[in-house]
Short mmCIF file of all heavy atoms in Angstrom, two decimals:
data_model
loop_
_atom_site.label_atom_id
_atom_site.label_comp_id
_atom_site.label_asym_id
_atom_site.label_seq_id
_atom_site.Cartn_x
_atom_site.Cartn_y
_atom_site.Cartn_z
N TRP A 433 6.96 4.56 25.60
CA TRP A 433 5.61 4.07 25.84
C TRP A 433 5.58 3.28 27.15
O TRP A 433 6.56 2.64 27.53
CB TRP A 433 5.14 3.18 24.70
CG TRP A 433 4.80 3.94 23.46
CD1 TRP A 433 5.15 5.22 23.16
CD2 TRP A 433 4.05 3.46 22.33
NE1 TRP A 433 4.67 5.58 21.93
CE2 TRP A 433 3.98 4.51 21.39
CE3 TRP A 433 3.43 2.27 22.03
CZ2 TRP A 433 3.32 4.39 20.18
CZ3 TRP A 433 2.77 2.13 20.82
CH2 TRP A 433 2.71 3.19 19.91
N GLY A 434 4.44 3.32 27.83
CA GLY A 434 4.30 2.60 29.08
C GLY A 434 4.18 1.10 28.88
O GLY A 434 3.85 0.61 27.79
N GLU A 435 4.42 0.36 29.96
CA GLU A 435 4.33 -1.10 29.89
C GLU A 435 2.90 -1.56 29.64
O GLU A 435 2.67 -2.64 29.10
CB GLU A 435 4.86 -1.71 31.20
CG GLU A 435 6.35 -1.58 31.39
CD GLU A 435 7.12 -2.39 30.35
OE1 GLU A 435 6.62 -3.46 29.94
OE2 GLU A 435 8.21 -1.94 29.94
N GLN A 436 1.91 -0.74 30.03
CA GLN A 436 0.52 -1.15 29.82
C GLN A 436 0.13 -1.16 28.35
O GLN A 436 -0.94 -1.67 28.01
CB GLN A 436 -0.42 -0.21 30.60
CG GLN A 436 -0.45 1.22 30.10
CD GLN A 436 0.65 2.08 30.71
OE1 GLN A 436 1.59 1.55 31.29
NE2 GLN A 436 0.52 3.39 30.60
N LEU A 437 0.97 -0.59 27.47
CA LEU A 437 0.67 -0.58 26.04
C LEU A 437 1.29 -1.76 25.30
O LEU A 437 1.15 -1.84 24.08
CB LEU A 437 1.18 0.73 25.41
CG LEU A 437 0.60 2.03 25.99
CD1 LEU A 437 1.09 3.22 25.20
CD2 LEU A 437 -0.91 1.99 26.00
N ARG A 438 1.94 -2.66 26.01
CA ARG A 438 2.52 -3.83 25.37
C ARG A 438 1.45 -4.90 25.17
O ARG A 438 0.46 -4.96 25.91
CB ARG A 438 3.68 -4.40 26.20
CG ARG A 438 4.90 -3.48 26.24
CD ARG A 438 6.02 -4.11 27.03
NE ARG A 438 7.23 -3.28 26.99
CZ ARG A 438 8.16 -3.37 26.06
NH1 ARG A 438 8.04 -4.28 25.10
NH2 ARG A 438 9.22 -2.59 26.08
N LEU A 439 1.69 -5.75 24.18
CA LEU A 439 0.73 -6.81 23.89
C LEU A 439 0.62 -7.81 25.03
O LEU A 439 -0.42 -8.45 25.20
CB LEU A 439 1.14 -7.53 22.60
CG LEU A 439 0.17 -8.57 22.04
CD1 LEU A 439 -1.15 -7.92 21.65
CD2 LEU A 439 0.78 -9.29 20.85
N SER A 440 1.69 -7.94 25.83
CA SER A 440 1.65 -8.89 26.95
C SER A 440 0.64 -8.51 28.00
O SER A 440 0.23 -9.36 28.80
CB SER A 440 3.05 -9.00 27.58
OG SER A 440 3.51 -7.71 27.99
N HIS A 441 0.17 -7.24 28.02
CA HIS A 441 -0.83 -6.79 29.00
C HIS A 441 -2.22 -6.73 28.40
O HIS A 441 -3.16 -6.31 29.08
CB HIS A 441 -0.44 -5.41 29.54
CG HIS A 441 0.84 -5.40 30.32
ND1 HIS A 441 0.92 -5.65 31.67
CD2 HIS A 441 2.12 -5.19 29.91
CE1 HIS A 441 2.18 -5.58 32.07
NE2 HIS A 441 2.93 -5.30 31.02
N ALA A 442 -2.39 -7.10 27.15
CA ALA A 442 -3.69 -7.03 26.49
C ALA A 442 -4.51 -8.29 26.79
O ALA A 442 -4.00 -9.30 27.28
CB ALA A 442 -3.53 -6.86 24.98
N ALA A 443 -5.82 -8.19 26.47
CA ALA A 443 -6.74 -9.29 26.72
C ALA A 443 -6.69 -10.30 25.59
O ALA A 443 -7.68 -10.57 24.91
CB ALA A 443 -8.16 -8.75 26.90
N VAL A 444 -5.52 -10.89 25.36
CA VAL A 444 -5.32 -11.88 24.31
C VAL A 444 -4.50 -13.03 24.88
O VAL A 444 -3.77 -12.85 25.87
CB VAL A 444 -4.61 -11.27 23.07
CG1 VAL A 444 -5.47 -10.22 22.42
CG2 VAL A 444 -3.25 -10.70 23.46
N PRO A 445 -4.58 -14.23 24.32
CA PRO A 445 -3.73 -15.35 24.78
C PRO A 445 -2.28 -15.13 24.37
O PRO A 445 -1.78 -15.70 23.41
CB PRO A 445 -4.36 -16.56 24.09
CG PRO A 445 -5.04 -16.02 22.88
CD PRO A 445 -5.53 -14.65 23.27
N TYR A 446 -1.57 -14.30 25.15
CA TYR A 446 -0.25 -13.84 24.76
C TYR A 446 0.76 -14.99 24.70
O TYR A 446 1.57 -15.07 23.77
CB TYR A 446 0.23 -12.76 25.73
CG TYR A 446 1.64 -12.28 25.48
CD1 TYR A 446 1.94 -11.50 24.37
CD2 TYR A 446 2.69 -12.63 26.33
CE1 TYR A 446 3.23 -11.06 24.12
CE2 TYR A 446 3.98 -12.20 26.09
CZ TYR A 446 4.24 -11.42 24.98
OH TYR A 446 5.52 -10.99 24.73
N ASP A 447 0.74 -15.89 25.68
CA ASP A 447 1.73 -16.96 25.71
C ASP A 447 1.60 -17.86 24.48
O ASP A 447 2.61 -18.30 23.91
CB ASP A 447 1.57 -17.77 26.99
CG ASP A 447 1.89 -16.95 28.23
OD1 ASP A 447 2.65 -15.98 28.09
OD2 ASP A 447 1.37 -17.27 29.31
N ARG A 448 0.38 -18.14 24.07
CA ARG A 448 0.18 -18.99 22.90
C ARG A 448 0.60 -18.26 21.62
O ARG A 448 1.16 -18.87 20.70
CB ARG A 448 -1.28 -19.42 22.81
CG ARG A 448 -1.73 -20.31 23.96
CD ARG A 448 -3.23 -20.47 23.99
NE ARG A 448 -3.74 -20.99 22.72
CZ ARG A 448 -5.04 -21.07 22.43
NH1 ARG A 448 -5.94 -20.64 23.32
NH2 ARG A 448 -5.42 -21.55 21.27
N LEU A 449 0.35 -16.95 21.56
CA LEU A 449 0.77 -16.19 20.38
C LEU A 449 2.28 -16.09 20.29
O LEU A 449 2.86 -16.17 19.20
CB LEU A 449 0.15 -14.79 20.43
CG LEU A 449 -1.35 -14.68 20.20
CD1 LEU A 449 -1.81 -13.24 20.38
CD2 LEU A 449 -1.73 -15.17 18.81
N LEU A 450 2.94 -15.91 21.43
CA LEU A 450 4.39 -15.77 21.43
C LEU A 450 5.06 -17.06 20.97
O LEU A 450 6.13 -17.03 20.37
CB LEU A 450 4.88 -15.38 22.83
CG LEU A 450 6.35 -14.98 22.96
CD1 LEU A 450 6.64 -13.77 22.09
CD2 LEU A 450 6.70 -14.69 24.41
#
Side-chain angles (χ1 to χ4, degrees):
W433 286 16
E435 290 294 327
Q436 66 274 14
L437 301 185
R438 292 182 175 271
L439 187 63
S440 56
H441 296 272
V444 295
Y446 176 71
D447 295 335
R448 295 168 56 189
L449 290 176
L450 190 60

